Amino acid sequence: MSGASAQDGNVRQLFEELCVGGTLDVYLDNSNPSSPGSAHTAIFCQIDSSKVTGLSVNNPKVLFHKRSAGGSAQGVGPVLDEQAIDAMAINNGNCEKGAANGNWLCRTSQPGDLVKKVSDAGVSDVNPELFRGINTPDGVAPVDPSKIAQRLDVVSGGGLVFNTPVTKSLRDALQRAQIDMGTLDADCEGQDTERCMPSLSKQQIASLLTGNIGKWSEIKVVDKGGQPKGDLTQYANGSITDDKVTICRRVNGSGTQATTNAKLLNAPCTDSAVSPASTSNPLAGPIVVLNSGSGNVDTCLDDFNQGTNNSKANTAGAKAWAIGVQSTERNADLKYNYRFIAIDGVAPTLANTASGHYLDWAEVTYQWRKPAYNGPTGDKLKLIQKIASDAGSPSIIAKNNAKYAHPFGQGGYLAATTSGNSAPADGKFDANNPVNPYTHAPGLSLDNCRVPVIDNNQPNRL
């Protein structure tokens, strides 16, 4: 399987859920030592036949490869066109037992460490049709929508909540500024709760991501009475050595970037939409870092907060405020020095999304070629169908979401009503039955460019 790095944690949990206890081995590429497995992961175990009906072998041994490098588009175009792409080889020469939770660490830098394989299936953060225009990876043709219905089976994996996190030092400065403005409580500095989460508007974030704001000093702070308080950088408390905006974005072809483009920039949903900044302006800002996977964004944001260079993107060792793009699968344990923020005053929680108040979310998909186009068959197809089906199950989503509980609230996934699920009848969000009554597919094909609306016969609330 290739595609969305934002969903790596969930895909891994979905597969591990099928394993016989005590048979699991995990292999992580070590190309980014600060975030092993950023580009490639593989999982080996015996599958519990009681959990996957109809297998031809009892408790078969299965090695499951997941390529994350390049993001969601690698789970669409290459799957659609049966194109071989790099996958991580696993052998005695390039993998050794590592200290990371007893997992195996695998080299990917030497000849033979990567091998060309055609993916059996793909996973993407948005529907396959969105990988056109600015979401087309370099050197790859845009997806032909007419081929998708003809060649692929596409299954909804529910909704995933995204955000534009910022370096921790910027989060703290925003808190200090918004305390001074009177929009946050006086005790909020340094707090990670929803009550104390600072906010930027959709328009401010769009201005940052497009490069229309190049330096943080261009953002002015004004109190509730309209009185100027100064530049945002006056609240830095010595936390930065560079005033230029840094953007830790994803490469073209990333589903996380495609979600951000659609929800915050309306691209490629309208022909006249503005594009995200893709090159740096060393003098006026912004500094733009293109990251292949979500793990690289983790490291990028952490580096610019700390003045380190584990990502190889901060060669000057600058301490700078940065904004990124991530799913709320990431950093629930606060391992990295960045924090999620509110957009238009609304925190990126499942409850806020299911109530229709939070905007930055997308319905994800799993896809594979139909048998007539050399798609998977037999036991392999049964496993893929089981993973895709479980991805949309409220009970399994609720279990897997436990790893995405942030101090500000629950992040992660919501089941879709279009998969036959129903939201709680009283309209109150239930983390044990995390169903989103809103959909981008209201009796139509899925399109994450579409404004989500209440699905037919689903409850709504103010």
Side-chain angles (χ1 to χ4, degrees):
M1 184 179 290
S2 52
S5 63
Q7 298 185 60
D8 281 351
N10 200 52
V11 171
R12 178 172 164 179
Q13 288 185 91
L14 290 168
F15 182 81
E16 291 182 2
E17 179 73 19
L18 307 178
C19 294
V20 174
T23 67
L24 184 70
D25 279 294
V26 177
Y27 301 82
L28 306 172
D29 83 273
N30 204 27
S31 58
N32 180 2
S34 297
S35 185
S38 294
H40 299 272
T41 301
I43 313 165
F44 172 83
C45 76
Q46 281 185 272
I47 296 295
D48 186 340
S49 294
S50 68
K51 296 182 178 180
V52 186
T53 58
L55 293 177
S56 64
V57 179
N58 185 53
N59 291 4
K61 296 179 180 180
V62 175
L63 180 62
F64 175 82
H65 288 260
K66 169 61 170 62
R67 171 192 160 128
S68 304
S72 288
Q74 299 300 320
V76 177
V79 176
L80 179 68
D81 296 328
E82 203 176 347
Q83 175 188 353
I85 57 177
D86 285 337
M88 181 174 67
I90 296 176
N91 54 55
N92 290 336
N94 73 321
C95 296
E96 59 182 18
K97 201 76 168 179
N101 300 321
N103 297 325
W104 296 80
L105 297 177
C106 302
R107 186 189 63 212
T108 55
S109 58
Q110 300 297 317
D113 291 346
L114 295 174
V115 294
K116 296 290 185 182
K117 294 286 185 181
V118 175
S119 296
D120 297 300
V123 57
S124 53
D125 296 327
V126 293
N127 52 296
E129 292 84 354
L130 253 62
F131 293 99
R132 65 184 195 273
I134 61 172
N135 296 330
T136 305
D138 292 340
V140 176
V143 166
D144 181 349
S146 67
K147 291 182 179 179
I148 293 171
Q150 179 186 31
R151 299 184 182 184
L152 295 183
D153 285 323
V154 181
V155 174
S156 171
L160 176 57
V161 180
F162 292 84
N163 192 249
T164 51
V166 300
T167 46
K168 184 177 181 298
S169 58
L170 174 54
R171 191 285 306 268
D172 293 347
L174 287 169
Q175 285 179 325
R176 287 190 285 269
Q178 292 176 11
I179 289 170
D180 200 20
M181 292 166 62
T183 56
L184 285 181
D185 294 337
D187 63 343
C188 275
E189 184 176 348
Q191 299 299 311
D192 295 313
T193 61
E194 182 175 7
R195 175 178 67 87
C196 291
M197 180 175 275
S199 179
L200 292 174
S201 71
K202 175 182 176 180
Q203 288 82 357
Q204 287 171 326
I205 295 170
S207 299
L208 289 163
L209 296 180
T210 56
N212 286 40
I213 297 175
K215 293 185 177 180
W216 294 107
S217 56
E218 296 171 17
I219 298 178
K220 309 302 178 182
V221 179
V222 179
D223 68 16
K224 286 183 176 180
Q227 296 301 309
K229 308 290 286 188
D231 301 341
L232 179 60
T233 49
Q234 292 180 342
Y235 296 87
N237 286 8
S239 62
I240 56 174
T241 58
D242 191 333
D243 177 28
K244 291 188 289 294
V245 171
T246 298
I247 305 171
C248 292
R249 56 159 287 183
R250 293 285 304 282
V251 295
N252 294 343
S254 152
T256 300
Q257 190 66 46
T259 300
T260 302
N261 294 342
K263 297 301 178 180
L264 298 174
L265 305 180
N266 211 33
C269 308
T270 60
D271 293 338
S272 59
V274 292
S275 297
S278 58
T279 57
S280 296
N281 185 330
L283 295 178
I287 302 302
V288 181
V289 182
L290 302 177
N291 294 279
S292 179
S294 297
N296 305 102
V297 175
D298 285 338
T299 312
C300 179
L301 289 168
D302 194 76
D303 274 346
F304 282 99
N305 189 85
Q306 301 299 102
T308 52
N309 191 32
N310 294 311
S311 63
K312 305 297 187 280
N314 189 20
T315 54
K319 288 187 176 181
W321 288 343
I323 187 169
V325 291
Q326 284 287 41
S327 77
T328 53
E329 251 203 20
R330 313 296 299 193
N331 207 35
D333 60 359
L334 307 184
K335 173 183 177 182
Y336 298 99
N337 287 289
Y338 70 83
R339 298 293 185 266
F340 292 99
I341 60 171
I343 299 177
D344 289 329
V346 183
T349 66
L350 298 186
N352 288 337
T353 303
S355 70
H357 291 99
Y358 183 75
L359 63 92
D360 193 5
W361 64 278
E363 289 177 75
V364 309
T365 64
Y366 288 75
Q367 48 270 339
W368 54 90
R369 288 180 307 283
K370 296 176 180 179
Y373 291 90
N374 294 322
T377 58
D379 289 349
K380 187 178 287 188
L381 177 59
K382 288 182 173 65
L383 282 168
I384 293 169
Q385 290 172 328
K386 175 63 174 173
I387 291 170
S389 174
D390 284 356
S393 165
S395 60
I396 293 178
I397 287 175
K399 178 181 177 181
N400 291 349
N401 275 346
K403 288 192 174 182
Y404 317 132
H406 297 260
F408 62 81
Q410 183 66 61
Y413 293 80
L414 291 160
T417 54
T418 51
S419 297
N421 306 304
S422 294
D426 60 3
K428 183 179 179 181
F429 177 72
D430 181 0
N432 294 314
N433 181 39
V435 178
N436 190 354
Y438 290 87
T439 179
H440 299 86
L444 304 166
S445 61
L446 175 61
D447 186 350
N448 281 285
C449 279
R450 187 179 289 123
V451 174
V453 297
I454 286 286
D455 201 4
N456 285 338
N457 303 315
Q458 293 297 317
N460 190 15
R461 67 170 193 168
L462 291 176

